[in-house]
Amino acid sequence: MPLIEKVATITAKGQTTIPKAVRQALGADYGGKIAYRIDEHGVSLHRVEAAEDPALGAFLEFLATDIRTHPERIQSVSSDLRARIEALTAGLEVDLNAPIEGAVAL
């Protein structure tokens, strides 16, 4: 007997809404990706982990190579820029582990 069972309707286009309890169990929300797996036990639903952006990976590799081959190009942040950054972020609290809400365009 299942711990939780939720029913969803399939539309004429083959679409359905994933019930909130299922999304929460998967740890998936708006914009997330899911995978349907079919094996000898039946069909299961799994959250797809976000893949690394290939452009970002290539850019970070470029930076690492440049720093390794030309360390003399590294410069410190000026005191003026540091002061400006501190002024712009004064009073802001950032939780780097908090999930991002809504759509994000990079």
Side-chain angles (χ1 to χ4, degrees), residues 45-70:
L45 188 62
H46 303 269
R47 181 183 74 232
V48 174
E49 298 297 328
E52 184 179 317
D53 181 345
L56 180 58
F59 178 68
L60 292 175
E61 181 58 35
F62 165 77
L63 287 178
T65 300
D66 190 58
I67 290 169
R68 202 171 32 254
T69 57
H70 301 287

Side-chain angles (χ1 to χ4, degrees), residues 18-38:
I18 300 169
K20 184 176 182 178
V22 176
R23 292 192 317 266
Q24 288 175 333
L26 287 170
D29 205 356
Y30 176 80
K33 295 199 180 284
I34 57 171
Y36 297 89
R37 294 183 188 159
I38 303 170

